[in-house]
Amino acid sequence: MSNELAQKSIGELAPLIQSKQVSPVELTEQVLANVDLYDGEINAYITVQKEQALEAAAQAEQEIQSGNYRGALHGIPMALKDILYFKDEKATMGSSIHSEFVADFDATVVSKLKMSGVTFTGKLNMHEYAWGATTTNPHFGPCKNPWDLTKIPGGSSGGSGAAVASHMSIASLGTDTGGSIRIPASSCGIIGLKPTHGRISKYGCFPLAWSLDHIGPMTKTVYDAALLLELLSGYDPKDPTSIDRPAKNFSGLLESDAKDLVIGIEEEYFFKNVDSRVDEQVRHVLKQLEDEGAVIKPVSIPSLKQAEFAELVTITTEASAVHHANLLKSPEKFGEDVRFLLEVGELMSGVDYVQSQQIRRKLDLEFAAAFESVDVLISPTLPFLSPPIGSQTVDVNGQELSFLDEVIRFTGPGNLTGLPALSIPVGVKDGLPVGLQIMGPAFEEEKVLRAAALIERMELMKGHAPTLGK
């Protein structure tokens, strides 16, 4: 069976489905065929819902044939990270403790996707409780990078990144507390968007750290990310962190000219200790944008030097508050790495936590000041290329550095401030994708998406495809 349809984006498929040139059943069959073909090796899925998906696809086809087309997501096959609740279905959170947990309601994002006519193909692998960035899961097995099966796909939304990259899901949703959408997006060569904190409801998503958690789209194209952001945005009284800001027509706001773009570069923090292959690729893009008329402007955000401390204290403390009772009762049921991080969180003091929140406040003010003179900030998403599965270190220009210390260095500030941030693939080095990060002002995701659309038009991924999923 050809998998030509499964390789397409939502933006390409929607008009074909609407005009009845493509059947949602045929499309879903192709996506499921890819799951059969590749997932034995990649392990992106925790649960495949084959029969359920084919029934839903048949229903979507019937509705569309009857003239009841619901919009761009109608009949689109998607699998989601197994941390989002579906009524009367298991949500494992990639854990042993919750392996039999059944939700009694739909997450807000799930109910919005259901109403849009999405066909769900299953639940995706993730780092246990989203508390880590490798997706080397001790309970469901490691998820592997489709570009190189010996490498990690990033995490914690590694299953989402791997499934979209290998066409086992047309798009997906991930969660991001320190970089868990952008890290796997960068590692797997796809788009990953963390929206502004409060833009998308987190009701029905198991928490990692309440003040840092976000849900966002992981897609093949910038347009698809804009489309999903548009659909999922909106105030939700059931989520205490939800902010009442109207959704925008993001997918209609992507057209722009590089001449209208002012790009901020924070050299001291975001370009320090970066693998030369990553640095070269990101600077190549900046040079190309400048040649097209964009203005590159240096900015200074002094409190970034305290960002790693603030992220570490906030995420470990808040995560340990969530898991405190289970850590006391059943510590052996956690994976070793997650148990270690939860124990670290128990050691943090109230003073550490308060100081971290003060640093966050400073960062908010300094980023806001920077965005008065620039539209977006650009940096690498990760300072390294994907390391081997099981490695505790990363090689950065011949230096062996701690993976844990390095992995959220560039993504963490977006969580501390809640500012929108997107990772976009900008080329391949030694067989692995390189991601570039774009950050923007609060609730101005369109600026981030426009800059991403300009970069996407450079076609830097042309001729590159993962080893599995071609």
Side-chain angles (χ1 to χ4, degrees), residues 182-303:
R182 292 159 289 156
I183 294 164
S186 177
S187 304
C188 294
I190 64 166
I191 305 287
L193 171 63
K194 181 197 79 63
T196 308
H197 194 253
R199 167 74 82 188
I200 291 178
S201 169
K202 299 191 294 283
Y203 179 70
C205 174
F206 192 90
L208 172 54
W210 74 275
S211 75
L212 302 168
D213 289 345
H214 302 66
I215 296 173
M218 299 178 71
T219 60
K220 298 177 187 182
T221 65
V222 175
Y223 178 82
D224 286 6
L227 206 60
L228 280 165
L229 178 64
E230 211 170 285
L231 171 81
L232 300 171
S233 293
Y235 177 66
D236 182 6
K238 292 174 184 163
D239 173 5
T241 66
S242 182
I243 294 173
D244 194 359
R245 295 292 282 263
K248 299 176 187 174
N249 171 27
F250 294 109
S251 60
L253 297 171
L254 298 179
E255 281 308 308
S256 71
D257 192 308
K259 294 183 182 69
D260 303 322
L261 185 63
V262 182
I263 299 164
I265 299 297
E266 218 289 0
E267 278 283 344
E268 200 155 316
Y269 185 81
F270 284 118
F271 285 84
K272 195 177 177 183
N273 288 346
V274 179
D275 184 301
S276 57
R277 295 165 295 182
V278 173
D279 187 82
E280 183 191 337
Q281 206 64 23
V282 171
R283 290 190 193 274
H284 167 72
V285 174
L286 287 168
K287 175 77 173 70
Q288 212 163 320
L289 286 167
E290 197 172 25
D291 290 348
E292 288 175 21
V295 173
I296 311 280
K297 191 174 175 182
V299 297
S300 174
I301 301 173
S303 296

Side-chain angles (χ1 to χ4, degrees), residues 88-361:
D88 300 330
E89 292 182 19
K90 273 203 286 195
T92 68
M93 279 59 84
S95 71
S96 160
I97 292 170
H98 281 88
S99 59
E100 297 302 319
F101 171 78
V102 175
D104 57 3
F105 63 95
D106 282 334
T108 298
V109 289
V110 168
S111 64
K112 286 187 174 192
L113 292 174
K114 279 184 175 180
M115 285 189 292
S116 303
V118 166
T119 295
F120 295 105
T121 53
K123 316 289 174 67
L124 297 172
N125 204 350
M126 56 180 282
H127 206 104
E128 181 183 6
Y129 287 121
W131 200 182
T134 64
T135 316
T136 302
N137 189 301
H139 314 293
F140 296 95
C143 179
K144 297 171 185 175
N145 193 320
W147 291 80
D148 178 344
L149 295 172
T150 68
K151 303 288 197 286
I152 63 165
S156 62
S157 313
S160 301
V164 174
S166 56
H167 310 296
M168 297 191 290
S169 182
I170 301 297
S172 187
L173 299 185
T175 62
D176 192 311
T177 309
S180 287
I181 285 171
R182 292 159 289 156
I183 294 164
S186 177
S187 304
C188 294
I190 64 166
I191 305 287
L193 171 63
K194 181 197 79 63
T196 308
H197 194 253
R199 167 74 82 188
I200 291 178
S201 169
K202 299 191 294 283
Y203 179 70
C205 174
F206 192 90
L208 172 54
W210 74 275
S211 75
L212 302 168
D213 289 345
H214 302 66
I215 296 173
M218 299 178 71
T219 60
K220 298 177 187 182
T221 65
V222 175
Y223 178 82
D224 286 6
L227 206 60
L228 280 165
L229 178 64
E230 211 170 285
L231 171 81
L232 300 171
S233 293
Y235 177 66
D236 182 6
K238 292 174 184 163
D239 173 5
T241 66
S242 182
I243 294 173
D244 194 359
R245 295 292 282 263
K248 299 176 187 174
N249 171 27
F250 294 109
S251 60
L253 297 171
L254 298 179
E255 281 308 308
S256 71
D257 192 308
K259 294 183 182 69
D260 303 322
L261 185 63
V262 182
I263 299 164
I265 299 297
E266 218 289 0
E267 278 283 344
E268 200 155 316
Y269 185 81
F270 284 118
F271 285 84
K272 195 177 177 183
N273 288 346
V274 179
D275 184 301
S276 57
R277 295 165 295 182
V278 173
D279 187 82
E280 183 191 337
Q281 206 64 23
V282 171
R283 290 190 193 274
H284 167 72
V285 174
L286 287 168
K287 175 77 173 70
Q288 212 163 320
L289 286 167
E290 197 172 25
D291 290 348
E292 288 175 21
V295 173
I296 311 280
K297 191 174 175 182
V299 297
S300 174
I301 301 173
S303 296
L304 277 170
K305 62 179 177 290
Q306 298 170 293
E308 288 163 75
F309 167 79
E311 175 75 23
L312 177 74
V313 171
T314 306
I315 196 171
T316 54
T317 309
E318 292 184 4
S320 296
V322 172
H323 296 284
H324 180 72
N326 282 331
L327 187 65
L328 291 178
K329 191 173 72 178
S330 316
E332 74 290 348
K333 289 186 178 171
F334 291 97
E336 210 175 300
D337 61 331
V338 170
R339 184 171 63 246
F340 167 73
L341 289 169
L342 293 174
E343 285 166 352
V344 167
E346 296 274 345
L347 302 174
M348 298 294 175
S349 71
V351 172
D352 294 330
Y353 188 79
V354 171
Q355 285 176 339
S356 298
Q357 306 324 298
Q358 290 168 336
I359 293 165
R360 291 175 77 176
R361 182 72 185 123

